[in-house]
Amino acid sequence: MTPTDSELISLAVSSDDVGAFGELVRRHQSAVRRFLRHLARGNDSLADDLAQETFLQAHRGLSRFRGDAPFLTWILGIAHNHYRNACRRRRDEVPLEADEARMVYAPSLERRTDLRQDLSAAMDRLTPDEQLAVRLAFENGLSHSEIAALLQWPLGTVKTHLARGKDKLRELMSAWNPQI
Amino acid sequence: MNPPDDAWLDALLARGLKQEPLPDDGFTLGVLDSLTFRPATHSWIVLALAWAMAGTGIALGLSRSGAWEQIAGGWLPVVHLAAGILGDPWMSLVALAILASVALAWVPARSAFKYG
């Protein structure tokens, strides 16, 4: 039987079992790296370096994991902190205007077959905070309160960003609405 | 609560944003390798040097007092050689450096043994 995250964490903490921690890394590396790649906006090597630091810090602090939220939520929170610290160190956060200026593709008004391409273009029209909230909710399946805890935002802010993001997406992706 | 016509958007987002897992590509191995490597810190260097100096001092002291001869028994020629090396100031420095290196190497090596 496949051990749960909680069982692996117990093994890693009580027996210093590196194999158990390795399994946790294998399970969650994709979500953590994707999350950081999104934040780093295409700088994959920076994202992967931050992901490695994230897991190393998680290992050091594993005994402090209380299990109030899923392990993935906890580790994405660490990843987010690492990204913010890296931005502070490098002072290279891309302002929203620049992000919008590099847009070269807009979602088509006619129904298309490439959902991912249309959605990716539509997502680029959202502010970074809206993108983050939408991705965490729909890509990672986190609840509003988990997103709030992870990003250290008030719950109302999460709901606002999600609602605004979805408002924009509803319009930008209207060609995909089967009711129209 | 979502308005009724949001169901299509929720389904679309869930489908469109869900992605294939990224291949590991040695990422996990890299993390585990980093776990087993602990660079020597300043405190370890100071401790190792202090240990090496103390060890050399004791070895020299025992050589001069003749205690080695009683302890060594049949290994006396080897002990004499070691004492001669340690009695030489330059060789003492070399011995001290070797002892310090062994002590410093022990820190990451201990992790490697521990984590296999």
Side-chain angles (χ1 to χ4, degrees), chain A residues 9 13 21 24 32 35 54-81 142 146 149-150:
Chain A
I9 291 164
V13 172
F21 185 71
L24 282 169
V32 172
F35 175 65
T54 297
F55 280 108
L56 292 176
Q57 191 184 331
H59 183 260
R60 287 193 291 272
L62 208 54
S63 58
R64 292 193 297 275
F65 175 69
R66 295 190 305 271
D68 301 338
F71 178 71
L72 179 62
T73 310
W74 182 67
I75 203 159
L76 287 179
I78 296 174
H80 189 243
N81 281 338
L142 303 190
E146 284 172 350
L150 190 161

Side-chain angles (χ1 to χ4, degrees), chain B residues 17-42:
Chain B
L17 291 177
K18 209 77 188 167
Q19 299 191 51
E20 290 293 311
L22 282 176
D24 188 284
D25 287 339
F27 178 84
T28 301
L29 204 60
V31 172
L32 296 184
D33 278 350
S34 300
L35 279 184
T36 57
F37 176 73
R38 296 275 187 279
T41 60
H42 293 305

Side-chain angles (χ1 to χ4, degrees), chain B residues 73-82:
Chain B
W75 290 90
L76 198 58
V78 179
V79 173
H80 278 155
L81 181 66

Side-chain angles (χ1 to χ4, degrees), chain A residues 106-162:
Chain A
S108 167
L109 292 175
E110 293 172 15
R111 182 159 304 188
R112 297 181 56 109
T113 50
D114 197 338
L115 170 63
R116 282 185 200 286
Q117 194 178 23
D118 275 1
L119 194 53
S120 167
M123 288 288 287
D124 279 346
R125 295 288 184 95
L126 274 53
T127 66
D129 286 347
E130 289 164 359
Q131 285 184 35
L132 196 54
V134 169
R135 281 191 184 278
L136 287 170
F138 291 95
E139 189 178 326
N140 299 104
L142 303 190
S143 68
H144 293 185
S145 53
E146 284 172 350
I147 297 171
L150 190 161
L151 299 174
Q152 294 168 1
W153 289 350
L155 187 59
T157 306
V158 174
K159 288 181 178 175
T160 303
H161 285 315
L162 267 173

Side-chain angles (χ1 to χ4, degrees), chain A residues 45-106:
Chain A
S45 62
L46 169 68
D48 281 4
D49 287 349
L50 292 174
Q52 189 171 50
E53 287 174 25
T54 297
F55 280 108
L56 292 176
Q57 191 184 331
H59 183 260
R60 287 193 291 272
L62 208 54
S63 58
R64 292 193 297 275
F65 175 69
R66 295 190 305 271
D68 301 338
F71 178 71
L72 179 62
T73 310
W74 182 67
I75 203 159
L76 287 179
I78 296 174
H80 189 243
N81 281 338
H82 268 294
Y83 173 73
R84 286 197 307 192
N85 291 339
C87 284
R88 264 184 227 124
R89 282 198 303 269
R90 294 171 179 236
R91 299 178 188 281
D92 65 350
E93 263 185 301
V94 182
L96 175 61
E97 290 75 19
D99 203 27
E100 282 181 345
R102 69 181 168 80
M103 283 265 307
V104 290
Y105 176 82

